[in-house]
């Protein structure tokens, strides 16, 4: 349950970013045009940014990314493609727009969309257990009153 809370919180960032872009100025490419128009002198990308459609492409690309990345991250078949798209998107934001630490934070939190067993295998591959170490699992317990209270609190938060 805790894992889904993290996925929800991270996913809402993308969803609300997409919703915020659903206005007439953004859809007309105005903010994107202002950003890329000020960067036409950049090496390599400057020529692309001087195109009259660059702002529109940037605006619609950002909108579609924000609205589609969460569903793509949720499904195993599209997860790695979504991670590649998110990596490109966030590193582009860091490099071109210089909007602070937020894109790096979002990039660093993409791992929450992977199943726990994959994360566990990766962690064991990177940090192997010492020889002879025995992994101890928690004993199974039933659902407690605190679990139910936590579930209700999570529901209230989500709503």
């Amino acid at each position: 349950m805790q894992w889904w809370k993290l996925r929800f919180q991270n996913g809402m960032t993308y969803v609300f970013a997409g919703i915020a872009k659903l206005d007439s100025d953004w859809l007309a490419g105005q903010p994107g045009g202002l950003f890329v128009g000020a960067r036409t002198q950049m090496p390599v990308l400057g020529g692309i940014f001087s195109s009259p459609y660059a702002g529109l492409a940037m605006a619609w690309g950002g909108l579609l990314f924000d609205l589609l990345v969460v569903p793509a991250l949720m499904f195993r078949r599209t997860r790695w493609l979504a991670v590649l798209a998110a990596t490109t998107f966030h590193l582009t934001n860091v490099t071109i727009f210089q909007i602070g630490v937020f894109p790096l934070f979002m990039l660093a939190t993409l791992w929450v969309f992977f199943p726990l067993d994959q994360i566990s295998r990766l962690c064991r591959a990177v940090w192997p257990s010492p020889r002879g170490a025995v992994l101890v699992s928690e004993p199974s317990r039933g659902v407690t009153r605190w679990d139910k209270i936590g579930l209700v609190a999570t529901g209230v938060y989500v709503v």
Side-chain angles (χ1 to χ4, degrees), residues 131-149:
R131 272 184 200 249
V134 178
L135 297 176
V136 179
S137 62
E138 279 190 33
S140 179
R141 60 177 176 83
V143 177
T144 67
R145 180 173 55 130
W146 289 109
D147 292 331
K148 292 176 185 175
I149 291 170

Side-chain angles (χ1 to χ4, degrees), residues 10-79:
N10 199 341
M12 284 293 93
T13 306
Y14 290 111
V15 170
F16 280 106
I19 291 170
K21 290 176 175 89
L22 292 173
D23 73 359
S24 59
D25 285 341
W26 190 271
L27 296 175
Q30 186 177 9
L34 293 174
F35 271 120
V36 297
R39 285 157 181 84
T40 57
Q41 303 304 319
M42 288 183 72
V44 181
L45 295 175
I48 296 170
F49 290 162
S50 62
S51 165
Y53 299 105
L56 198 58
M58 193 71 71
W60 278 87
L63 169 69
L64 292 174
F65 170 80
D66 284 335
L67 294 178
L68 298 175
V69 71
V70 174
L73 285 166
M74 298 302 293
F75 294 103
R76 181 181 55 82
R77 295 180 79 125
T78 57
R79 187 172 294 124

Side-chain angles (χ1 to χ4, degrees), residues 3-4 6-8 10-11 74 79 108-116 119:
W3 210 242
W4 285 101
L6 287 173
R7 288 176 181 156
F8 173 80
N10 199 341
M74 298 302 293
R79 187 172 294 124
T109 60
L110 285 176
W111 59 271
V112 302
F113 289 100
F114 285 86
L116 286 173
I119 295 169

